[in-house]
Amino acid sequence: MSASEPTIPAAERRRAWRPFALALPALVLLLAVIGYPLLTIVVRSMSEPQWGLQNYVWFFSVPINLIVLQRTFVISAWVTLVCVVCAYPYAYLMTAVGPRVRLLLLLCVLIPFWVSGVVRTLSWVILLQDSGVINSILRSLGFGGVRLIRTQTGVVIGMAQVLLPFMILPLYSVMKGIDLRLVQAARSLGARPSRAFLTVYLPLSLPGVYAGAVIVFILALGFYITPALLGGPRSTMLSTLVQTQVLSLLQWGRGGAMGVVLLVTTFVLLALAAPVMRSRHRQAGRS
């Protein structure tokens, strides 16, 4: 080291490493509870019943597997869309009301986290069944009954209700930082309320939409309880096939191959969507 180069004191170097030392226990925990099981699944998918790619060849050679994989992504996309449509006005309302009403709305968002997912799904079974509350109301109004249970529509409704808080919270965290005076300034310059919203408020809130959509979409891909209780043969998702292969048929290799395919496909889709999300985020920042 030359005399002209500055030297970093040892105490400063230790302070620089302090954040990494604080994060080390969390990293070790993540490797223990996520990394090791994931590595085990990948190894078993290529080693059972023997080493090779026969489990992946089996997955892509059976048409029903590809159909269920496509259906899993379609249902997850529909759930994400429903959550965006329902969560956006709710999150906006949370930013527009007073502190007491906002606390009440936030409590309504958090209550589902305190209730078991099985209980919530069973309550939807009661509501959506052919003789349930929804169909009874429709018949009393003079409409015919609608088949909701054991359908893809029922699965989407149940999953959207469970995942809605994961969309509302990221949206609210972004919306509460938006200065509403920008919208008022646009309106004072002659813009209609709808135009001021579309050109000023909506672009600023898109980062929250993207963050919530990614969370909901990824969580929806691995749902098992809700599709199993509300769905039927035509709404089976890949998680159900994985459960059948692993627990019913004891085919750990094939079940692991299904999980790996779902994981890799998810990463590929997120990698393709990441540039679009970054560009939209930069546009929102410039706006």
Side-chain angles (χ1 to χ4, degrees):
M1 180 181 293
S2 62
S4 60
E5 293 181 359
T7 58
I8 302 176
E12 233 179 90
R13 289 198 298 268
R14 287 195 297 270
R15 282 197 297 269
W17 280 98
R18 199 168 295 168
F20 297 99
L22 293 175
L24 186 60
L27 293 176
V28 173
L29 181 63
L30 286 176
L31 289 176
V33 302
I34 296 179
Y36 176 73
L38 182 60
L39 179 62
T40 303
I41 291 297
V42 173
V43 171
R44 298 188 74 166
S45 69
M46 295 186 293
S47 62
E48 294 187 11
Q50 58 187 5
W51 282 99
L53 299 176
Q54 66 276 359
N55 292 318
Y56 295 94
V57 173
W58 165 82
F59 180 86
F60 288 104
S61 61
V62 177
I64 188 63
N65 293 335
L66 301 179
I67 294 174
V68 172
L69 179 64
Q70 178 187 8
R71 182 188 300 145
T72 299
F73 281 92
V74 170
I75 291 178
S76 300
W78 274 110
V79 170
T80 304
L81 179 61
V82 171
C83 286
V84 170
V85 173
C86 296
Y88 198 96
Y90 191 93
Y92 179 78
L93 179 63
M94 291 177 64
T95 64
V97 297
R100 293 185 178 179
V101 181
R102 184 182 302 119
L103 181 61
L104 179 62
L105 294 176
L106 183 61
L107 185 63
C108 293
V109 174
L110 297 178
I111 284 177
F113 289 111
W114 306 333
V115 181
S116 171
V118 178
V119 174
R120 283 182 285 173
T121 304
L122 288 176
S123 65
W124 277 112
V125 172
I126 298 173
L127 292 173
L128 299 177
Q129 61 186 345
D130 296 337
S131 59
V133 176
I134 295 178
N135 276 309
S136 299
I137 294 175
L138 291 175
R139 292 191 184 96
S140 64
L141 295 176
F143 300 99
V146 180
R147 182 169 178 80
L148 297 173
I149 198 72
R150 307 302 178 199
T151 64
Q152 186 170 314
T153 303
V155 173
V156 171
I157 293 174
M159 291 176 61
Q161 187 270 331
V162 175
L163 294 174
L164 194 58
F166 295 97
M167 179 67 71
I168 293 176
L169 295 178
L171 269 174
Y172 171 68
S173 66
V174 172
M175 287 180 173
K176 70 178 181 180
I178 299 176
D179 191 351
L180 296 179
R181 291 176 298 181
L182 297 173
V183 180
Q184 296 174 359
R187 295 186 61 181
S188 67
L189 294 174
R192 294 189 302 272
S194 59
R195 183 172 179 81
F197 173 80
L198 293 175
T199 57
V200 177
Y201 193 88
L202 181 61
L204 294 176
S205 64
L206 285 181
V209 175
Y210 294 142
V214 170
I215 295 173
V216 170
F217 184 78
I218 292 178
L219 291 176
L221 290 174
F223 256 57
Y224 169 71
I225 295 177
T226 303
L229 294 179
L230 297 180
R234 294 184 178 273
S235 56
T236 301
M237 298 180 67
L238 196 63
S239 57
T240 304
L241 294 187
V242 173
Q243 185 269 346
T244 302
Q245 292 293 330
V246 172
L247 298 182
S248 300
L249 303 178
L250 300 180
Q251 296 283 349
W252 280 86
R254 291 183 175 182
M258 288 180 173
V260 173
V261 168
L262 180 61
L263 180 66
V264 172
T265 308
T266 304
F267 284 160
V268 170
L269 290 179
L270 291 178
L272 294 175
V276 178
M277 295 174 61
R278 283 196 296 267
S279 64
R280 297 286 185 177
H281 185 80
R282 287 194 294 268
Q283 292 176 6
R286 288 195 295 269
S287 300

